[in-house]
Amino acid sequence: MSRKLSVMITGASGEIGHGLIARLTTADPDRPVITLDLNPLSADLAPKVRHQFGGSILDRELLARIQAEYEVDQVYHLAALLSTRSEFSPELAHKVNVEGTLNLLEFAQRQGESHGRAVVFFYPSSIAAYGLPTAAAKAAAGKVKEDEFNQPTTMYGANKLYCEHLGRYYGRHYKQLAADPHAGKVDFRCIRFPGLISAVTVPSGGTSDYAPEMTHAAAAGEPYECFVRPDTRIPFMAMPDAVDAIQRLVHAPREKLTRVVYNIGAFAPTAAEVERIVRAAFPRAEIATKVDEKRQGIVDSWPADVDDTAARRDWGHAPAYALDTAFGEYLIPTIRNRYAR
Ligand code: SER
């Protein structure tokens, strides 16, 4: 039992969780971090957290137990089924991605009511929340703004877009007809991430996975078949910048935030550009293209780039890595090390 205000991370063993736990526990070693995930944390991360709860975000009894044992004033709700996996099991995706998020928002609301402070609730949305209808529309749109093209074609994208609305509801309008004010206990903050590329973990079940998969396969000396056309373009970001952006948004003064949901960008290469950089670093890489028309269709519905003016203005989004430095200074050296072991 800890009454010290704790941080709770769901989906902690996933790609973002991996980087986030390391950052949070280094920045503030005295702040307890608790995690909820179906899978255990890796051996290097496990000692950094106060308690790992093994289980599902759909298990309300487990959430009630955590509620009784911990006071939480920051939630990072990272657990989700990604976009490709969600298309194979849309109903399960809806359960995990939407009902799971509702459970966590309820958890945060109860926490806020019990200790009286607003609970900062960080929610990772995605460029999957956009749906551009045609290639011509995608080319003409360029950098899309948050409120444009909100017609996702995937279950995952629909789930993310709806949960952004749910978060706004809990943050601003919760039980608006009740006699006592209830809103304001959840301080919901959301980033729509581009495709993320980590040097230390490989994603699973996403549709932007071709860039990280290509890079990791080349370093591991394995052949890779890229499932999108070479001219396919979407925004990407190196994982350290994603974690950095989360921290900037979470710690921003509330009055500076003019939006609930923010785009963030860094670089937006085509698949061919990623391949060229990977081949330059790993000249023996075996990379072929075998287009999966269906997954291609999903990536084609995502924007070529995003307008992140609001994030830069309101909370100082400033990615450290551009395309060349993301690969040259972060991904390639770190990945080389990983596979050299
Ligand atoms: N990058 C994720 C995916 O491809 C979307 O958030 O599913």
Side-chain angles (χ1 to χ4, degrees):
M1 158 88 79
S2 170
R3 303 320 298 183
K4 199 167 181 180
L5 288 170
S6 304
V7 176
M8 159 118 149
I9 308 178
T10 71
S13 78
E15 283 216 286
I16 299 178
H18 210 269
L20 185 64
I21 290 174
R23 182 79 65 98
L24 287 178
T25 52
T26 310
D28 190 353
D30 295 330
R31 189 127 148 86
V33 173
I34 58 172
T35 60
L36 172 57
D37 201 310
L38 292 171
N39 303 308
L41 292 176
S42 57
D44 57 323
L45 289 181
K48 296 184 189 288
V49 307
R50 178 67 57 94
H51 192 92
Q52 288 191 55
F53 289 92
S56 166
I57 54 171
L58 298 175
D59 183 346
R60 283 174 171 253
E61 279 175 28
L62 176 55
L63 287 167
R65 219 180 91 209
I66 302 174
Q67 185 85 36
E69 287 182 26
Y70 286 89
E71 289 203 319
V72 170
D73 71 341
Q74 250 181 46
V75 174
Y76 296 87
H77 174 43
L78 310 179
L81 254 62
L82 291 188
S83 55
T84 290
R85 188 162 304 157
S86 294
E87 283 316 298
F88 288 102
S89 321
E91 210 184 340
L92 176 67
H94 190 279
K95 260 198 178 26
V96 173
N97 295 349
V98 175
E99 289 175 34
T101 300
L102 183 71
N103 287 349
L104 265 297
L105 285 165
E106 275 294 312
F107 173 88
Q109 178 69 29
R110 299 285 92 74
Q111 283 282 346
E113 287 174 6
S114 126
H115 57 59
R117 292 182 53 171
V119 175
V120 175
F121 191 110
F122 176 76
Y123 182 68
S125 187
S126 162
I127 51 165
Y130 294 106
L132 288 106
T134 59
K138 175 165 170 163
K143 292 187 174 198
V144 302
K145 292 194 172 58
E146 284 89 348
D147 299 325
E148 297 174 329
F149 300 105
N150 293 157
Q151 278 106 22
T153 66
T154 61
M155 184 50 139
Y156 173 82
N159 295 163
K160 286 290 181 191
L161 188 60
Y162 173 64
C163 287
E164 295 175 1
H165 290 307
L166 261 186
R168 182 180 296 104
Y169 171 74
Y170 272 78
R172 299 187 176 169
H173 310 293
Y174 182 72
K175 288 198 179 167
Q176 56 194 290
L177 298 182
D180 312 329
H182 284 76
K185 297 295 181 226
V186 177
D187 180 358
F188 182 85
R189 302 177 181 205
C190 170
I191 288 175
R192 282 196 192 140
F193 284 112
L196 298 179
I197 317 181
S198 166
V200 288
T201 50
V202 192
S204 70
T207 318
S208 61
D209 292 2
Y210 57 91
E213 281 173 357
M214 188 188 294
T215 314
H216 282 262
E222 289 162 7
Y224 185 67
E225 282 182 343
C226 180
F227 57 82
V228 294
R229 286 188 319 269
D231 66 345
T232 305
R233 188 188 296 279
I234 57 167
F236 282 98
M237 177 177 286
M239 189 59 82
D241 278 336
V243 171
D244 196 54
I246 296 173
Q247 288 305 287
R248 283 182 202 232
L249 175 59
V250 161
H251 293 293
R254 202 168 174 174
E255 63 278 7
K256 292 266 189 215
L257 304 180
T258 60
R259 309 186 53 86
V260 168
V261 174
Y262 289 90
N263 279 339
I264 61 171
F267 44 87
T270 61
E273 282 165 341
V274 174
E275 182 178 332
R276 202 174 311 129
I277 292 177
V278 169
R279 280 188 189 282
F282 303 100
R284 281 183 299 183
E286 290 175 55
I287 303 168
T289 297
K290 188 171 176 215
V291 176
D292 174 335
E293 290 298 343
K294 293 174 181 158
R295 291 179 96 187
Q296 176 78 54
I298 291 177
V299 184
D300 286 346
S301 77
W302 294 350
D305 204 353
V306 291
D307 180 327
D308 60 6
T309 309
R312 289 177 188 263
R313 179 195 61 217
D314 290 0
W315 46 271
H317 170 58
Y321 295 111
L323 177 63
D324 53 343
T325 50
F327 278 86
E329 293 171 17
Y330 164 64
L331 287 164
I332 289 167
T334 319
I335 289 179
R336 258 194 223 289
N337 248 338
R338 181 187 153 149
Y339 292 99
R341 270 185 260 145

